[in-house]
């Protein structure tokens, strides 16, 4: 079942190490099927190079395994929490990408310093509160931050990052651009700690412009 | 049409991720054909690994698509502006490579600290003003900086970098060397913020020497 | 003999450069066979890409070569010291991975700042004393640190890192996660030198939770 | 002629990008044939992936091309100067590897902070004076630094690094370990600028120990 979505989710999970966002088996991409409402996610603790579409797990919104022989990602409950609470979200990516995670450790929102991050995020990337142990607490923090800011990327305090989108690919793109922007901002800030972000009016203008012009 | 130039532009676009200059679909290389005056550029929002010579787009200097089925890069207007205003430019590369972009964020010209950057750039890499939203404003800033300094690389304020050259390959080389020099200077400056650049007399001597000695 | 274990040790040694933990021929992974007590380790000074299962060396706990035609790793004596003194250790990884080695140079234990390192390490990663020259002194320092802290990763002062585990794979995973956490903490600390680690109560809660939930 | 040495020099040149030491066409490895005294070096301005043993250039110690159809590396004169003046040198590597080049920019010798760099270098890596423009001035500075310190690695002020050895491979190994150690020391120093290097007595003890124990 959901063969096309399994194939896509598998491809986007494999794109995580290809884009330098994950090591070992950390990190995952999931997608929600608009028709059935089921969620496709990667299995737990499997190396990315060993993933195949057949190994993807299909779960319902309560976490019951609908299809697949392996145990789903340990982060499944976090993803499901967000899908249940945010009906506009159809793809989620979670990583510990190193530069963005550094911002999650210092516990500061990441302001917008470049036109690319303005175009993709539209406003400063929010930092969550530290989540209580357990997947539901993480899901609740992500949901709260997303609903308050509508920013597709969230820095999860002392943990890593979550990005959401209208598809698995869209959330993956946000995760890639987030790490890229975190990297450049890190370099800039360690050369000059007093740099000022772009003003919000300019950020909004860039965001509106690119949302209407990019891609095929 | 322009099969050889499409092949070259495709190869040089694929060289962007190979040299660590781009992630996702950001960044692009174009070239102007000296005979027809047409410009070959990459299509918008396509992954670098999926590019083929046949997918390259041919446009005229006003942006009309002459050949190709996809939408050209969202940055096409910036490239065309530079080609129209700078008759000596036959290749342009645009990236958000992370170390050079950090200098574009702090908003400082990047002085010459190494013989390699002296040989390739000849003087400090200029920083533009922040461009108004839209591709023509970007093209105008690049053109102004290039015409004022004749430096083949420009740091575009809070955005990324543009490099120009007498061919696509020449602009790509400048983009690679710019990121390499930005990386070493970043490391040096974060160890010792008071380092002094090479004096301009020495830089010019190195530039003149290598312009006449390198390559086959 | 020990064909399966040789294959595993070969694979995990090759995983060192794949995960960015080693350059040239530095670094090694070994495993102890639970039945015979013999240890399988990589040969000395061979490039990782040239390793094959047949080239792995089998030694007894006193260092006598039981099987294999090449000289075993120069670090063999350190590994054997730890195996002799720590009966719960069945895999050891040694690297000079750059971010973790930076902490070994500044000579400070690496506190826990992220949930991932809490889940894998359970407490701050200890820093050894500087070891006298020679492999036995290194083995003794690793053993002392491991027995005092039960942390599966040790920063070896002015040298690099050792990780231990119940298998070669488990020690390799600890080495990968150690470098990942060292990288993020380095970025965080150079942006804000006063960041505070997670409190130990929270770290222990995370550790206990993940030890029981992760993987297939 | 010198087919085996051409093959080796080609392989070790291709190892430069594989080990992250070079971008584009910068950097080169050469070797001197002990019998004929001829030097094999890479051609100028050719991409590393396009190098083949047949494209390597054989020159005599005065720079006359003995064999090969392409122009030799623009750095050939520097290499030859060192071979002429240092009869114990049979391999030379030159790169602009980014972390080591940062030390060449700040203009400080790189002290020994780790056992690995103690084992390979034996004492602090010297920094040259800035060389006058031209290849002979570079060769003279390298020679002076090597003869004064006997250290197989030299930081060339505001330029990059040269390493020498008893073979191409040995100089390449020194270049790899130099970049690795520069990286870790950079990270350590930007966390704690007051770290102290290992004392020379300990460094010498490590150097003597490893010169006699490593490899097959």
């Amino acid at each position: 079942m959901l063969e096309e979505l399994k194939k896509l989710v598998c491809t986007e999970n494999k794109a995580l190490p290809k884009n330098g966002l994950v090591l070992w088996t950390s990190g995952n991409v999931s997608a929600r099927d608009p028709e059935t409402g089921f969620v496709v996610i990667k299995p737990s603790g499997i190396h990315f190079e060993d993933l195949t579409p057949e190994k993807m797990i299909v779960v319902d919104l309560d976490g019951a395994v609908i299809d697949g022989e392996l145990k789903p990602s340990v982060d499944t409950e976090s993803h499901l929490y967000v899908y249940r609470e945010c009906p506009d979200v159809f793809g989620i990516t979670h990583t510990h990408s190193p530069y963005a995670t550094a911002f999650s450790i210092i516990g500061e929102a990441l302001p917008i310093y470049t036109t690319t991050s303005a175009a993709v995020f539209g406003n400063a990337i929010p930092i969550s509160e530290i989540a209580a142990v357990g997947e539901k607490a993480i899901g609740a923090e992500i949901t709260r931050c997303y609903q308050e800011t509508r920013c597709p990327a969230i820095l999860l305090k002392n943990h890593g990052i979550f990005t959401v989108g209208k598809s698995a690919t869209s959330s993956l793109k946000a995760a890639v651009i987030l790490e890229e922007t975190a990297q450049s901002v890190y370099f800039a800030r360690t050369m000059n700690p007093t740099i000022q972000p772009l003003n919000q009016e300019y950020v909004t203008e860039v965001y509106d412009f690119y949302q209407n012009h990019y891609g095929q």
Side-chain angles (χ1 to χ4, degrees), chain A residues 102-121:
Chain A
F103 283 89
S104 95
I105 292 175
I106 64 170
E108 295 179 21
L110 176 53
I112 302 297
Y113 292 96
T114 65
T115 50
T116 305
S117 53
V120 175
F121 302 116

Side-chain angles (χ1 to χ4, degrees), chain A residues 93-112 121 123-131 138 141-146 149 151-164 174-175 177-179 181-183 185 189:
Chain A
T93 295
H94 169 50
T95 81
H96 308 141
S97 64
Y99 290 93
T101 297
F103 283 89
S104 95
I105 292 175
I106 64 170
E108 295 179 21
L110 176 53
I112 302 297
F121 302 116
N123 48 56
I125 292 128
I127 175 86
S128 80
E129 297 294 320
I130 196 159
I138 291 171
E141 261 306 287
I142 302 304
T143 299
R144 183 184 67 75
C145 289
Y146 177 59
T149 65
C151 181
I154 286 112
L155 301 167
L156 188 61
K157 181 90 176 77
N158 289 101
H159 183 141
I161 68 107
F162 273 79
T163 54
V164 301
I177 304 294
L178 174 56
E179 182 64 3
T181 197
Q183 188 176 12
V185 172
R189 203 180 268 194

